[in-house]
């Protein structure tokens, strides 16, 4: 076994080396946080040492992942991967492929190239006509010209159900065929990944008041799911509701403080919806006495902010689309999922940010979400990755005492009132509450006020 490699990494590397004697393509699915980048770098080193390749070219979905690949490969190969003279190769984003000139693509004709594709599910298609732009370039420029390819994914499916480039599927079932698979079950058993603890926040008495001229109509909903199903309220608008935000953030803050008592550098991540939302969340964290960094695509030197946070012991970072799949910050152990994106692919990518273990005393990862139906379904399906284990659903009692809402001025009313879903036109321009476009479709002559009771309930999905 190579020095410092985990068992699965060494097995996968050796399996690939053997398979490359028969076919140039290899597909590896490994759960987020398992160490796919290190395995890929060791495989590249073995191919170089055996004289089977001349160059290594890597492709990844974001600049953050590109930087991580460059660091890991350079460390393992003891050679630069910056594309300059004397380097053993280069790393670029999938988006950056369209800006590469013919000189770059000619490398595949002039040299034996090992092409590595991280999170390959971003690239769709089996032929040039039914592919997305990234998939087309791989099919046209790489697939039949590289000496070897390595396709990596922690979540090997697409929300649009399209086929993944470089992948093989069984017939007639259409199931993805992985040349090597390392699931969450194995990763937890091997103490490579943390065991997920998913907390779903709900409210058992939600009141929606509709004002039409001089009349008010009040409807009470028994949970968030029925509110979203049977009222004009959208999930996106809930994400801006100060009381709901406060409850979810308090849960995350208290869990992170508990963890930091044992592991002082443990960190927390809030995945926000947009820039305005990120700053709203950051302001609420600071009101609770929590320091936090904010990083978005508008943040100057965003990569430096992420790197500084990675090597610090600051508790929280609030991000919009910046700390995504492949971004390696092992000390992250708590996450509040407050993005408007609700696909299972994105959900699992967010969960993956807190699964990577960094020490022997951080065995659990905590994810906090609202009880929106699809998010609840995704949470319960995490257990699908652990077929021989039982997912235990616990209803925690006394939650309103542990995470009680702020006292209500009218003691006879158990609701915290906050007009978070203002459908009146003059409210749309408030910078602190950039509301979703869907709200504009409602009759602006009506006003809705959304009030949550103090009867919050959390449902814990514990993956053992």
């Amino acid at each position: 076994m190579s020095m410092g490699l985990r068992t699965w990494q060494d097995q996968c590397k050796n399996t690939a080396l053997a398979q490359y004697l028969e076919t140039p393509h290899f597909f590896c699915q490994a759960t987020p946080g398992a160490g796919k980048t290190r395995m890929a770098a060791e495989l590249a080193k073995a191919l170089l040492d055996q004289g089977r390749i001349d160059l290594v070219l890597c492709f990844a979905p974001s600049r953050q992942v590109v930087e991580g690949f460059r660091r890991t490969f350079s460390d393992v190969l003891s050679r630069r991967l910056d594309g300059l003279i004397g380097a053993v190769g280069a790393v670029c984003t999938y988006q950056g492929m369209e800006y590469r000139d013919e000189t770059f693509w000619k490398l595949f004709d002039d040299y034996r190239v090992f092409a590595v594709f991280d999170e390959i599910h971003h690239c769709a298609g089996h032929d040039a006509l039914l592919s997305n732009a990234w998939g087309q370039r791989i099919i046209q420029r790489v697939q039949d010209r590289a000496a070897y390819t390595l396709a990596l994914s922690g979540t090997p499916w697409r929300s649009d159900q399209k086929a993944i480039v470089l992948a093989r599927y069984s017939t007639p079932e259409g199931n993805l065929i992985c040349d090597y698979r390392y699931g969450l079950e194995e990763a937890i058993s091997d103490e490579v990944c943390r065991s997920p603890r998913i907390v779903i926040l709900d409210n058992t008495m939600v009141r929606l008041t509709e004002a039409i001229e001089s009349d008010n109509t009040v409807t009470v909903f028994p949970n968030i799911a029925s509110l979203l199903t049977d009222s004009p309220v959208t999930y996106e608008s809930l994400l801006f509701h100060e009381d709901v935000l406060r409850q979810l953030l308090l849960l995350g803050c208290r869990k992170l403080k508990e963890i930091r008592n044992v592991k002082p550098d443990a960190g927390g991540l809030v995945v926000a919806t947009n820039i305005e939302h990120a700053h709203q969340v950051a302001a609420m964290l600071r009101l609770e006495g929590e320091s936090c960094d904010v990083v978005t695509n508008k943040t100057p030197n965003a990569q430096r902010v992420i790197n500084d946070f990675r090597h610090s012991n600051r508790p929280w970072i609030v991000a919009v689309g910046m700390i995504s799949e492949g971004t390696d910050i092992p000390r992250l152990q708590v996450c509040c999922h407050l993005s408007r994106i609700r696909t299972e692919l994105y959900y699992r990518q967010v969960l993956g940010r807190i699964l990577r273990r960094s020490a022997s005393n951080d065995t659990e990862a905590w994810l906090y979400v609202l009880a929106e139906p699809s998010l609840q379904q995704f949470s319960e399906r995490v257990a699908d990755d652990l077929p021989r284990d039982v997912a235990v659903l616990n209803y925690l009692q006394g939650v309103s005492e542990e995470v009680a809402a702020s006292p209500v001025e009218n003691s006879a009313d158990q609701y915290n009132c906050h007009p978070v879903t203002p459908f009146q036109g003059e409210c749309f321009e408030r910078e602190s509450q950039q509301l979703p476009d869907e709200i504009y479709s409602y009759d602006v002559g009506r006003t809705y006020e959304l009030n949550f009771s103090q009867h919050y309930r959390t449902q814990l999905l514990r993956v053992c």
Side-chain angles (χ1 to χ4, degrees):
M1 182 182 297
S2 300
M3 184 67 67
L5 276 190
R6 295 165 180 157
T7 300
W8 88 263
Q9 292 169 322
D10 197 61
Q11 290 176 345
C12 183
K13 180 196 73 173
N14 292 331
T15 302
L17 288 172
Q19 182 163 312
Y20 284 152
L21 296 174
E22 305 293 335
T23 176
H25 305 301
F26 191 86
F27 195 109
C28 169
Q29 177 199 351
T31 193
K36 294 186 291 296
T37 309
R38 174 68 189 281
M39 185 280 297
E42 293 285 351
L43 178 54
K45 184 177 186 302
L47 290 170
L48 285 167
D49 290 346
Q50 293 175 13
R52 295 164 69 173
I53 60 172
D54 306 307
L55 295 176
V56 180
L57 297 177
C58 303
F59 304 87
S62 69
R63 285 178 293 178
Q64 289 75 35
V65 181
V66 162
E67 289 303 315
F69 256 68
R70 186 175 288 128
R71 285 194 306 270
T72 300
F73 272 67
S74 295
D75 289 345
V76 171
L77 302 179
S78 299
R79 298 177 66 180
R80 290 182 290 106
L81 210 72
D82 55 15
L84 302 177
I85 293 175
V88 71
V91 193
C92 76
T93 63
Y94 290 126
Q95 186 174 1
M97 288 192 297
E98 65 181 291
Y99 302 107
R100 296 290 178 168
D101 58 21
E102 286 301 320
T103 302
F104 176 81
W105 297 114
K106 198 171 184 299
L107 293 172
F108 287 91
D109 297 324
D110 296 342
Y111 298 92
R112 297 170 300 169
V113 175
F114 178 43
V116 181
F117 301 92
D118 190 46
E119 305 302 349
I120 190 66
H121 54 263
H122 286 286
C123 307
H126 271 182
D127 60 66
L129 294 177
L130 300 176
S131 305
N132 63 7
W134 297 350
Q136 283 182 10
R137 287 187 175 83
I138 294 172
I139 292 170
Q140 295 169 348
R141 300 288 198 171
V142 180
Q143 181 171 270
D144 296 324
R145 298 164 71 189
Y148 307 104
T149 71
L150 173 64
L152 302 169
S153 180
T155 47
W157 70 86
R158 292 178 55 84
S159 297
D160 60 11
Q161 304 301 309
K162 289 183 179 179
I164 300 171
V165 72
L166 295 178
R168 308 190 316 280
Y169 292 85
S170 64
T171 55
E173 302 85 4
N175 296 324
L176 176 69
I177 298 173
C178 294
D179 298 303
Y180 191 92
R181 184 181 184 277
Y182 186 68
L184 184 58
E185 176 185 20
E186 294 92 343
I188 293 173
S189 176
D190 293 344
E191 299 183 353
V192 169
C193 287
R194 302 174 181 124
S195 178
R197 301 288 186 268
I198 302 169
V199 178
I200 304 167
L201 180 67
D202 206 346
N203 191 288
T204 60
M205 293 175 64
V206 186
R207 184 175 67 187
L208 183 67
T209 303
E210 178 183 2
I212 306 176
E213 296 179 352
S214 59
D215 295 330
N216 288 342
T217 300
V218 179
T219 307
V220 177
F221 299 90
N223 50 49
I224 289 175
S226 61
L227 171 73
L228 295 176
T229 302
D230 300 323
S231 83
V233 175
T234 64
Y235 172 72
E236 289 84 356
S237 64
L238 290 185
L239 297 175
F240 289 84
H241 194 294
E242 290 183 3
D243 185 55
V244 174
L245 278 179
R246 179 174 179 271
Q247 298 301 321
L248 199 70
L249 292 173
L250 276 176
L251 286 169
C253 287
R254 292 176 181 179
K255 176 53 64 177
L256 184 59
K257 286 179 179 176
E258 175 187 320
I259 294 171
R260 284 170 68 92
N261 286 334
V262 178
K263 189 170 177 290
D265 70 335
L269 166 67
V270 181
V271 181
T273 285
N274 57 29
I275 294 173
E276 293 79 11
H277 188 231
H279 287 290
Q280 179 187 7
V281 168
M284 297 182 76
L285 285 172
R286 289 164 184 151
L287 281 174
E288 294 298 325
E290 299 286 344
S291 64
C292 65
D293 296 335
V294 178
V295 61
T296 74
N297 60 358
K298 300 296 184 182
T299 302
N301 300 314
Q303 185 58 50
R304 182 182 300 174
V305 173
I306 294 172
N307 286 336
D308 288 347
F309 181 83
R310 177 187 289 111
H311 299 294
S312 74
N313 65 353
R314 292 194 293 277
W316 286 98
I317 188 164
V318 183
V320 181
M322 297 300 293
I323 299 180
S324 56
E325 53 187 337
T327 303
D328 179 18
I329 308 179
R331 69 187 190 87
L332 288 177
Q333 204 163 342
V334 175
C335 178
C336 297
H337 184 333
L338 296 171
S339 171
R340 66 186 294 174
I341 302 173
R342 283 163 294 151
T343 65
E344 186 161 12
L345 178 65
Y346 188 77
Y347 174 93
R348 294 210 180 208
Q349 289 167 353
V350 169
L351 176 61
R353 296 315 95 219
I354 56 174
L355 291 182
R356 185 188 301 271
R357 285 185 64 164
S358 60
S360 60
N361 61 343
D362 62 350
T363 59
E364 297 175 354
W366 291 81
L367 180 69
Y368 294 85
V369 299
L370 292 179
E372 189 273 339
S374 58
L375 294 180
Q376 178 138 0
Q377 183 182 48
F378 301 157
S379 299
E380 293 170 356
R381 275 214 293 259
V382 169
D384 290 348
D385 276 343
L386 297 127
R388 291 193 291 275
D389 288 344
V390 179
V392 182
L393 286 172
N394 292 328
Y395 288 89
L396 305 184
Q397 304 301 318
V399 171
S400 59
E401 297 176 1
E402 292 183 10
V403 188
S406 301
V408 181
E409 292 183 5
N410 181 358
S411 59
D413 188 351
Q414 297 194 53
Y415 289 88
N416 282 330
C417 298
H418 180 73
V420 71
T421 321
F423 292 97
Q424 289 184 318
E426 64 267 19
C427 296
F428 288 146
E429 300 303 319
R430 292 175 61 185
E431 290 184 2
S432 62
Q433 292 187 13
Q434 191 81 25
L435 295 178
D437 295 338
E438 290 86 343
I439 288 179
Y440 287 96
S441 65
Y442 296 112
D443 183 356
V444 295
R446 299 181 179 183
T447 301
Y448 293 86
E449 185 178 81
L450 184 62
N451 311 312
F452 283 81
S453 75
Q454 291 186 10
H455 297 286
Y456 280 94
R457 181 185 70 178
T458 59
Q459 179 183 355
L460 172 66
L461 174 62
R462 177 183 293 124
V463 179
C464 300

